[in-house]
Amino acid sequence: MMAVTAISIDNLLPAFPAIQARFGVVDPNSLQLLIYVYMIGFGTAQIVYGPLSDTYGRRSVLLAGLAIYVVGTGLAMVAPSFGWLLAARIIQGIGAASGRVLSTAIVRDRFAGREMASVMSLIMMVFLIVPMIAPAIGGAMLLFGSWVYVFVSMLVLAGILVIWFAWRMPETLHPEYRRPFSLAAVAQAVAITFRNRVAVGYATALGLLTGCIMGYVGSAQQVFDTGLYHLGGLFPLAFGLVAGAMGAATLVNARLVRRLGMRPLSHAGLSLFVVVAVGQVVAGLAYHGHPPLGLFLAILAANQFLISFAMPNFNALALQPLGEIAGTASSFLGFYTTILGAFCGFLIGHAFDGSVLPIGIGYALLGGLALAVVAWTERGRLFRGGVSG
């Protein structure tokens, strides 16, 4: 289900020029709204799915979310205007949000501690490997003659997932953890979640790092294709190379986290990420915002590699103390991290000025803030391990 989110974002990037031409979009930066409005729907709807799944179970709520996603995809395919297309993207995001909340809740239902972090890394690896091929799929769909076929590929994937989940997925919510659906019960779970220093701290850090990813993704098509390096048909290859670094890191993390623990591994990854991000800014300034493509790709891939040691572990650490309210906790923390990430990503992406500096500066600032938040969360005691982390 995490693949739906990844393909819904990255599959569309090669179609930006065609969509711009079809709807007469004047400002190329406005095309980034196709990413960010999706994330708004994706983030906001998470508030609903968690409490519903704590009452009615994970399986039925997940299938309902997939049905909403299918509706949004169909509306996008017949969009008569750019505004209609943006609205359809919001509906797509609302439907896909079920996967973000419930995949995390399902993992928390079945695992805890370092085992949970390991499984979370494998799920994140799927989320990150899909971008390696998604732009290429989007580009291949364009060969059929229309950007509409990009949404056809999304519809096919959603249909496969509906069939697979309906046939294969069991219910994972323990009967003793079912909670009545009431505003009082939801408010109680939210209060428990946001009173927990570890949950709030790591969710905030995760949101800031998500902002780095969203800023890069939102401006990637302009950086690699139309606005800076003019790679044309090689854009999916450059994008896939960077995504490949993230996928490799999550696989390594899944193996190392059982032995080293979530905190030492994620704290080291974040610290090095900040160092490399500062180097990214220095390289950008040295070449007046236009470093050689090979250098830019190498630094960017290194940073994406390092960030992948932090994000899945931060997600697991935020949920670790909230097992009895995993659905609601995953819902509200997911809402918080997604909206924070989308807002920060929009600021980075919309600042695109024909150079790589907005991405580098955004990475350095958000990474530094995330490191400060983690230090606050751990009361200054970084890199320490433990039985569960």
Side-chain angles (χ1 to χ4, degrees):
M1 186 63 191
M2 293 293 281
V4 169
T5 299
I7 204 168
S8 298
I9 296 172
D10 303 318
N11 209 13
L12 196 59
L13 297 178
F16 276 14
I19 293 172
Q20 182 180 10
R22 167 64 180 83
F23 297 115
V25 179
V26 177
D27 182 4
N29 280 3
S30 297
L31 294 168
Q32 296 179 17
L33 291 173
L34 291 168
I35 304 299
Y36 299 122
V37 298
Y38 174 90
M39 294 303 295
I40 289 173
F42 181 77
T44 304
Q46 292 182 48
I47 296 175
V48 177
Y49 288 117
L52 285 176
S53 74
D54 280 344
T55 299
Y56 300 109
R58 318 300 190 205
R59 186 175 183 274
S60 59
V61 176
L62 181 57
L63 289 172
L66 278 170
I68 294 171
Y69 177 85
V70 168
V71 171
T73 305
L75 290 172
M77 292 168 62
V78 297
S81 67
F82 189 62
W84 177 299
L85 184 59
L86 291 176
R89 289 288 286 169
I90 293 174
I91 296 172
Q92 273 192 304
I94 290 171
S98 63
R100 164 64 176 84
V101 173
L102 297 176
S103 60
T104 305
I106 288 168
V107 171
R108 186 61 188 87
D109 288 341
R110 302 190 62 184
F111 304 99
R114 296 182 182 184
E115 186 72 15
M116 180 176 68
S118 179
V119 175
M120 201 76 75
S121 288
L122 294 175
I123 292 176
M124 187 65 73
M125 182 176 66
V126 173
F127 179 75
L128 296 173
I129 284 178
V130 169
M132 294 174 61
I133 59 173
I137 294 173
M141 293 297 102
L142 291 174
L143 295 178
F144 288 98
S146 173
W147 57 270
V148 173
Y149 290 107
V150 175
F151 287 98
V152 171
S153 66
M154 300 180 196
L155 193 63
V156 169
L157 175 60
I160 292 172
L161 288 175
V162 167
I163 295 171
W164 192 89
F165 279 119
W167 178 41
R168 296 282 296 176
M169 190 181 80
E171 180 55 60
T172 62
L173 178 63
H174 300 293
E176 63 270 22
Y177 286 170
R178 288 184 182 264
R179 301 169 62 87
F181 186 77
S182 69
L183 292 179
V186 172
Q188 180 187 27
V190 172
I192 292 172
T193 299
F194 285 99
R195 281 200 301 262
N196 190 290
R197 184 187 187 99
V198 170
V200 172
Y202 279 107
T204 300
L206 178 60
L208 293 169
L209 296 183
T210 300
C212 295
I213 301 297
M214 295 311 304
Y216 160 63
V217 169
S219 54
Q221 192 274 335
Q222 291 165 278
V223 169
F224 289 126
D225 190 3
T226 58
L228 186 56
Y229 289 109
H230 304 288
L231 294 181
L234 294 178
F235 160 56
L237 176 61
F239 194 85
L241 288 173
V242 175
M246 299 182 73
T250 54
L251 181 60
V252 174
N253 181 73
R255 295 178 178 274
L256 291 182
V257 73
R258 297 172 188 262
R259 185 166 72 249
L260 301 179
M262 290 182 280
R263 285 179 171 86
L265 203 54
S266 62
H267 296 174
L270 177 57
S271 300
L272 290 173
F273 172 83
V274 174
V275 172
V276 175
V278 172
Q280 190 171 340
V281 175
V282 172
L285 291 172
Y287 287 94
H288 306 289
H290 193 166
L293 177 62
L295 176 62
F296 176 67
L297 282 175
I299 296 175
L300 186 62
N303 247 341
Q304 303 300 82
F305 183 86
L306 292 167
I307 204 174
S308 301
F309 286 98
M311 292 181 70
N313 292 321
F314 285 0
N315 199 18
L317 285 165
L319 279 175
Q320 175 65 22
L322 303 170
E324 294 186 5
I325 53 168
T328 301
S330 175
S331 183
F332 279 85
L333 291 177
F335 160 76
Y336 174 53
T337 59
T338 301
I339 295 301
L340 177 59
F343 174 72
C344 293
F346 172 79
L347 294 180
I348 295 173
H350 208 65
F352 178 73
D353 58 359
S355 78
V356 302
L357 285 173
I359 293 178
I361 293 171
Y363 273 34
L365 289 177
L366 294 181
L369 282 173
L371 185 58
V373 169
V374 170
W376 169 82
T377 303
E378 297 291 349
R379 305 181 192 277
R381 298 189 299 274
L382 299 179
F383 306 104
R384 63 185 178 89
V387 174
S388 63

